[in-house]
């Protein structure tokens, strides 16, 4: 006689009741949260973001890292947005960042942080990683001008040829960056000429002689992911100055890109100059502002969104145990 393959109703009742009971538990139930928790960007060490030249943390609710911190946090990352001098030397900015890192370590109880710096923030996080390696699990540069930026070289040349004019312009820029610093709550002294030298080829060469960790040995080359100081180094950058017709900044960036005479660049930094440690990519369809999702997210619709690139990197750090 053929037996039915269906389980008796009574055998299904208990599991079904348990499932319904579980689904009816409050959302704050620990195991339920754990089961459905998004941990894609949940790194072991906090992520600390460091802005570039003329940068800030937040002005009237508008963040330099447009929507990036929120996108990292929604999947478990602890993210801290720092502020250093909008314009000053890499060493001065680095010491300012180091003090904030110390405060973050004290507040969180973490042993190290994952530093990510954009533009001049790239050399800035390198300084902290070199001088204070015990604080740093990884240092990532997004379009960092590690061997100098062409625009800085041009301006430095003008300043040396016309020192009086250069000093006047420097004072004007200091006043402008000082106001930017004031309204964003920074409270730092500004020195635009020191920043200019730090970002130039001779200034970068001098800096690199003191803090070489993570740099490739050859121009446009690659370096090991883990440097001799035990810190992991990463980098990425864009190579498309014009990306969105609605973005009013694209025109200016496109003009600045002409200084590179056809060399691959993002409008302000050449792809080769951006190389540090493990180079993730140096040819995203992004310009120098797109890399941090500016302005207001008006980036290329034909490329991975910058927020996704940051999320992918956070997941990379997580998978490295960082």
């Amino acid at each position: 006689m053929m037996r039915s393959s269906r389980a008796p109703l009574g055998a299904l009742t208990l599991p079904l009741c348990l499932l319904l009971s579980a689904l009816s538990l409050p959302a704050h139930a620990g195991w339920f949260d754990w089961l459905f928790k998004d941990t894609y960007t949940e790194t072991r060490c906090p992520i600390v973001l460091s802005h570039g030249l003329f940068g800030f943390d937040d002005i009237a609710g508008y963040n330099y890292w447009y929507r990036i911190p929120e996108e990292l946090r929604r999947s478990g990352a602890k993210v801290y947005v720092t502020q250093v001098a909008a314009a000053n030397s890499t060493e001065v900015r680095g010491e300012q960042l180091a003090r904030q890192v110390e405060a973050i370590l004290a507040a969180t109880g973490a042993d190290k942080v994952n530093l990510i710096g954009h533009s001049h923030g790239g050399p800035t996080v390198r300084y902290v990683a070199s001088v204070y390696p015990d604080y740093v699990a990884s240092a990532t540069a997004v379009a960092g001008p590690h061997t100098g930026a062409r625009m800085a070289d041009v301006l430095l040349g003008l300043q040396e040829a016309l020192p009086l004019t250069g000093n006047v312009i420097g004072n004007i820029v200091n006043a402008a960056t000082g106001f930017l610093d004031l309204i964003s709550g920074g409270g730092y002294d500004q020195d635009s000429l020191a920043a200019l030298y730090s970002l130039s080829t001779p200034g970068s060469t001098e800096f690199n002689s003191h803090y070489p960790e993570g740099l490739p040995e050859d121009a446009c080359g690659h370096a090991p992911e883990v440097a001799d100081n035990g810190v992991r180094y990463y980098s990425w950058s864009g190579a498309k100055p014009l990306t969105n017709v609605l973005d009013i900044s694209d025109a200016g960036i496109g003009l600045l890109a002409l200084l590179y005479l056809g060399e691959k660049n993002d409008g302000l930094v050449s792809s080769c100059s951006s190389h540090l440690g493990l180079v993730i990519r140096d040819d995203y369809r992004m310009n120098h502002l797109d890399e941090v999702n500016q302005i207001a997210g008006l980036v290329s619709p034909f490329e991975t969104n910058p927020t996704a690139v940051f999320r992918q990197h956070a997941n990379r750090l997580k998978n490295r145990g960082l």
Side-chain angles (χ1 to χ4, degrees):
M1 180 177 178
M2 183 177 293
R3 295 179 180 273
S4 171
S5 61
R6 292 182 297 175
L9 181 60
L12 295 176
T13 302
L14 181 59
L16 183 60
C17 288
L18 290 174
L19 177 60
L20 291 174
S21 297
L23 291 176
S24 66
L25 286 173
H28 61 265
W31 74 268
F32 189 82
D33 286 347
W34 175 85
L35 185 62
F36 293 99
K37 184 179 179 182
D38 179 3
T39 62
Y40 183 73
T41 63
E42 191 175 347
T43 56
R44 182 178 64 84
C45 303
I47 293 174
V48 177
L49 304 177
S50 179
H51 63 75
L53 181 70
F54 303 151
F56 51 91
D57 54 357
D58 182 284
I59 295 178
Y62 188 86
N63 199 286
Y64 178 94
W65 310 83
Y66 188 73
R67 295 183 178 173
I68 290 171
E70 294 86 345
E71 284 297 303
L72 293 173
R73 289 174 182 137
R74 74 176 174 85
S75 299
K78 293 182 176 64
V79 184
Y80 293 84
V81 178
T82 61
Q83 180 172 359
V84 298
N88 214 315
S89 71
T90 303
E91 292 85 351
V92 168
R93 287 164 51 96
E95 284 295 325
Q96 293 168 352
L97 177 60
R99 302 291 79 78
Q100 293 172 70
V101 168
E102 289 171 344
I104 291 168
L105 293 176
T108 62
D111 58 340
K112 295 184 178 184
V113 298
N114 292 305
L115 295 174
I116 302 179
H118 172 244
S119 191
H120 196 183
T124 302
V125 302
R126 280 178 51 207
Y127 174 89
V128 177
S130 293
V131 178
Y132 305 98
D134 291 345
Y135 295 174
V136 183
S138 70
T140 302
V142 181
H146 304 296
T147 57
R150 190 70 54 84
M151 186 63 183
D153 289 342
V154 171
L155 293 176
L156 183 64
L158 288 174
Q159 192 272 331
E160 292 174 346
L162 303 168
L164 182 60
T165 302
N167 289 335
V168 171
I169 294 174
N171 290 334
I172 294 173
V173 175
N174 287 344
T177 54
F179 177 73
L180 181 69
D181 181 82
L182 177 65
I183 62 175
S184 58
Y188 293 112
D189 293 332
Q190 309 298 315
D191 189 339
S192 58
L193 295 182
L196 181 63
Y197 181 72
S198 286
L199 294 169
S200 69
T201 299
S204 297
T205 300
E206 181 180 331
F207 179 81
N208 293 342
S209 68
H210 297 294
Y211 313 104
E213 291 84 1
L215 290 173
E217 293 184 1
D218 303 320
C220 214
H222 296 254
E225 180 177 345
V226 183
D228 292 340
N229 61 356
V231 177
R232 291 178 180 265
Y233 288 85
Y234 305 91
S235 61
W236 75 78
S237 61
K240 191 70 174 177
L242 303 175
T243 59
N244 193 312
V245 295
L246 299 178
D247 189 345
I248 60 174
S249 69
D250 272 27
I253 290 178
L255 288 174
L256 293 175
L258 298 177
L259 292 173
Y260 284 95
L261 303 175
E263 182 183 357
K264 191 168 62 172
N265 70 93
D266 67 359
L268 286 174
V269 175
S270 73
S271 296
C272 289
S273 186
S274 73
H275 283 205
L276 181 76
L278 176 63
V279 179
I280 295 162
R281 271 186 66 179
D282 67 357
D283 61 351
Y284 282 107
R285 191 182 182 90
M286 300 177 188
N287 63 34
H288 200 68
L289 295 182
D290 292 344
E291 292 149 350
V292 287
N293 204 33
Q294 294 289 354
I295 291 177
L298 291 175
V299 298
S300 172
F302 306 109
E303 179 58 275
T304 304
N305 191 274
T307 59
V309 176
F310 274 83
R311 284 174 54 80
Q312 290 164 6
H313 186 54
N315 182 255
R316 180 180 295 109
L317 298 176
K318 174 190 173 181
N319 292 337
R320 301 290 202 277
L322 307 177

